[in-house]
Amino acid sequence: MKRFKAEAHTLSKLEHQNIARVIDFGQEPDGLLYLVMELLVGKSLEVVVAESGKKLSVLKVLDVGVQTCNALAFAHDEGVIHRDVKPENVVLVPHRDEDGKPCDLVKVCDFGLAKLRDPDPENTDITMGGTLCGSPAYMSPEQILGEKLDARTDLYALGTMLFESLTGELPHDAIGLTQLFAKKLMEPPTPLRTFLPDVDPGLETAIMRALSRERNDRQDDARVLRQELR
């Protein structure tokens, strides 16, 4: 309960056009904790990719990537790591740009909720189930190992999401969690050009860098990745 209130208070301060807002939070008289979030009328990236035949155009993926980086950079500045970046948590809302032309506004959802599901080693008086948090396909190697996370774990997940959106495939081909985790920890990801032979070398470099096993080999922060995508 203490962690919920502290985390909800932090999330309520994430006021950014690319982040789904937390409008209210509190506790009912019967003890029920609640979190009220912005209603988004749009489609998740997961649905958009599925409807497009499992692949999106390079320009579309770049647009989604840049806007997602905007959200991550802002949140990271506030000390909030998402921990569960994936297509399901990225919503594309129909919008209009400054010239009145139709466009999609990216809204990143569920900031901080993965942290609330995580066991908290700093509060031994608060007991929670030791579940592995995050979606396996997008989890960074350090997340699999249960290490202390920083902003670069979100860059790994974003790299995976962009790779999948472009190719319809995941960077590591595996059957079952055990094989998936082993490959993430021991093998380099499949090069993007394996699926997209004509991919721009700069785009491949940016995405494959975000997918580096060692976090120190990734971009320093979301702004660096954003600049590379631009």
Side-chain angles (χ1 to χ4, degrees), residues 138-200:
Y138 308 92
M139 288 174 67
S140 65
E142 62 268 22
Q143 206 168 1
I144 293 169
L145 294 172
E147 296 176 354
K148 185 175 177 61
L149 303 181
D150 61 28
R152 291 169 293 182
T153 197
D154 285 346
L155 300 188
Y156 182 97
L158 176 54
T160 303
M161 188 180 84
L162 298 179
F163 188 107
E164 182 184 21
S165 299
L166 285 167
T167 67
E169 305 288 344
L170 290 167
H172 292 93
D173 180 30
I175 300 173
L177 276 182
T178 301
Q179 187 182 54
L180 175 64
F181 287 172
K183 285 193 172 187
K184 279 177 173 279
L185 294 171
M186 304 297 294
E187 298 181 14
T190 305
L192 188 59
R193 63 180 176 275
T194 302
F195 302 109
L196 292 177
D198 298 326
V199 66
D200 182 279

Side-chain angles (χ1 to χ4, degrees), residues 33-141:
L33 296 166
Y34 65 86
L35 192 69
V36 182
M37 305 183 80
E38 174 184 7
L39 174 65
L40 301 178
V41 182
K43 295 179 180 179
S44 71
L45 181 62
E46 181 181 46
V47 170
V48 172
V49 170
E51 290 180 347
S52 67
K54 292 198 169 182
K55 293 181 185 180
L56 297 181
S57 70
V58 170
L59 285 178
K60 187 63 183 175
V61 173
L62 286 171
D63 180 43
V64 171
V66 167
Q67 291 193 61
T68 303
C69 282
N70 291 341
L72 294 177
F74 183 85
H76 294 162
D77 284 349
E78 297 296 318
V80 178
I81 304 168
H82 193 291
R83 299 168 178 241
D84 197 18
V85 175
K86 57 184 178 181
E88 183 184 341
N89 284 336
V90 174
V91 176
L92 276 56
V93 179
H95 195 61
R96 290 188 181 276
D97 64 17
E98 289 84 354
D99 297 318
K101 297 178 181 178
C103 65
D104 283 323
L105 180 64
V106 168
K107 291 279 190 175
V108 182
C109 308
D110 289 358
F111 263 99
L113 297 193
K115 183 179 180 182
L116 284 171
R117 294 191 296 267
D118 238 343
D120 187 353
E122 297 178 3
N123 289 284
T124 53
D125 59 318
I126 301 175
T127 58
M128 296 182 71
T131 54
L132 191 65
C133 298
S135 300
Y138 308 92
M139 288 174 67
S140 65

